[in-house]
Amino acid sequence: MPCIQHGGCSCNQTHKCDGIQDCLSGRDECHKECFNSTFSDGKEMIANTAMFALVWIISIFAIIGCSTVIGMTIWSLSRARPTSGPNSVSDYTILVRRQILSLSLSDFLGGIYTLSICIEAQMLDDCYTVQSRIWRGSYSCSALGFILVTGSEQSVFTMVLIAIQRVRAVVRPFSQPNINRQTDALLMVWFIAIMIGLIPLLPWFGDYFVTRIEFTENRIFKAINNDETEYMVTILGLIHQRGNMYATSRLAGTTNWGKLANLVNEVNPNISITYKFGYYSSHAVCLPTFFPDPQVDTAWGYTIFLLIVNFIAFLFILFSYIILYQ
């Protein structure tokens, strides 16, 4: 019989690590052997103390450094004049400053991500096993994953634009850059980076990126994986349509998460989705699924796409600077 206590718990050892909180405090699940993760253990979200301290230091310096660069660059751009005068600068100088501003903004997003992870890890260091599902399925974790991917991709794209501009300045030293066109290119890559980070969160792509959902407590089911949706739609369709086999077969082919949630709500309005686990929920630190399992992660193709884009960008930057050296 499970013990129910407000403080500690004197449960038998057989109650440990069984996935069931036999104590209100959840202490029977707060053991290192209860949680297997790259970054976490049963008690702490980031188990490696040295790495945790290093991330704190990097986050603080990143925020301070990027904020300083952003402020100084905005101030210099506000004072710059493209015409003659005491503050006149060339179009090339204005373009370089805008590129520096773009790069510092993307790195600032990375600093916001790491600092937020450190703060959250500090708050969840009592018993992370109990809080893991709540944290990974939260909107905050998804938002941090979006910030990380957007900042990372924008940093890569900005460095590609900088490489293009430098090669052009060397190959054609007497030509002046079209500052408006280059600024439009910066805005365009910002839009692309934001869309890359946002696509895994859009509801229209839920079938592709969501791997698991959890419902409020009920007697029939609590969680459904992406490979169980068709079965659950069939069962709920039978219940909802009351034996109408034509309607049931039509519903059986509808396997997206949104319509499944609607069916559940129609069968029992008291049952609702509590957590969604998707592209940014694989790890405690809300990293995207960079090492997917094609048997489980339906969005493995998106990961391959990002890796290919970044690899091509790396090769382009590499060859660009080889040209500059030569």
Side-chain angles (χ1 to χ4, degrees):
M1 179 178 180
C3 63
I4 303 297
Q5 299 179 7
H6 292 281
C9 184
S10 59
C11 299
N12 189 281
Q13 292 295 318
T14 57
H15 291 282
K16 290 172 52 179
C17 306
D18 59 356
I20 302 174
Q21 297 180 27
D22 298 307
C23 311
L24 293 180
S25 62
R27 292 295 175 184
D28 56 310
E29 300 299 312
C30 289
H31 301 277
K32 291 185 177 181
E33 60 269 23
C34 297
F35 199 79
N36 183 20
S37 173
T38 305
F39 302 98
S40 314
D41 59 16
K43 289 183 175 294
E44 298 178 351
M45 178 174 160
I46 300 179
N48 191 315
T49 305
M51 183 177 70
F52 189 32
L54 184 61
V55 174
W56 263 113
I57 296 172
I58 293 175
S59 302
I60 294 173
F61 275 97
I63 294 293
I64 295 175
C66 292
S67 299
T68 303
V69 174
I70 290 171
M72 294 178 62
T73 307
I74 292 176
W75 180 79
S76 63
L77 284 172
S78 65
R79 289 174 53 86
R81 299 293 183 268
T83 58
S84 61
N87 294 320
S88 62
V89 295
S90 65
D91 288 347
Y92 183 78
T93 302
I94 294 177
L95 175 60
V96 169
R97 291 177 182 176
R98 289 180 179 178
Q99 290 172 341
I100 292 174
L101 177 62
S102 177
L103 191 60
S104 58
L105 283 172
S106 59
D107 292 341
F108 180 78
L109 291 180
I112 290 294
Y113 161 79
T114 54
L115 183 63
S116 300
I117 288 295
C118 289
I119 294 173
E120 191 65 33
Q122 195 69 46
M123 296 172 60
L124 300 179
D125 63 353
D126 184 29
C127 183
Y128 178 68
T129 301
V130 178
Q131 302 163 320
S132 171
R133 289 168 37 258
I134 300 174
W135 163 242
R136 291 187 296 109
S138 67
Y139 291 110
S140 299
C141 186
S142 298
L144 288 180
F146 162 74
I147 289 174
L148 173 65
V149 171
T150 300
S152 301
E153 294 305 311
Q154 172 57 24
S155 181
V156 171
F157 296 155
T158 301
M159 287 189 290
V160 169
L161 292 180
I162 292 174
I164 293 174
Q165 182 57 36
R166 289 183 174 181
V167 170
R168 184 179 182 275
V170 170
V171 176
R172 302 175 61 186
F174 297 105
S175 63
Q176 291 295 323
N178 189 322
I179 189 170
N180 292 327
R181 185 180 301 171
Q182 297 294 335
T183 302
D184 291 341
L186 278 175
L187 295 177
M188 178 60 67
V189 296
W190 266 105
F191 174 77
I192 294 174
I194 291 173
M195 290 306 301
I196 288 176
L198 188 62
I199 284 176
L201 301 179
L202 296 177
W204 304 286
F205 303 103
D207 286 350
Y208 188 67
F209 290 102
V210 177
T211 58
R212 176 184 172 90
I213 59 175
E214 291 191 6
F215 293 90
T216 52
E217 296 287 351
N218 61 87
R219 295 183 178 181
I220 303 177
F221 55 83
K222 179 174 176 58
I224 296 179
N225 296 323
N226 55 0
D227 58 347
E228 300 172 334
T229 54
E230 185 173 357
Y231 171 76
M232 288 306 303
V233 165
T234 302
I235 297 299
L236 294 176
L238 284 170
I239 298 175
H240 181 61
Q241 298 297 336
R242 298 184 181 182
N244 188 330
M245 297 305 297
Y246 173 77
T248 300
S249 62
R250 178 174 55 84
L251 287 174
T254 306
T255 60
N256 64 76
W257 293 112
K259 292 187 177 181
L260 174 61
N262 292 335
L263 267 175
V264 171
N265 185 259
E266 290 176 4
V267 172
N268 188 343
N270 296 322
I271 301 177
S272 60
I273 296 177
T274 308
Y275 306 112
K276 288 183 179 181
F277 301 93
Y279 197 65
Y280 298 128
S281 305
S282 300
H283 304 285
V285 294
C286 308
L287 287 173
T289 311
F290 281 143
F291 302 98
D293 181 0
Q295 302 297 327
V296 179
D297 301 307
T298 55
W300 63 269
Y302 195 73
T303 297
I304 299 300
F305 164 75
L306 290 182
L307 293 177
I308 292 175
V309 168
N310 291 332
F311 183 67
I312 293 175
F314 164 75
L315 291 179
F316 182 86
I317 295 171
L318 175 64
F319 288 120
S320 297
Y321 282 96
I322 290 176
I323 293 174
L324 288 176
Y325 176 77
Q326 290 179 342

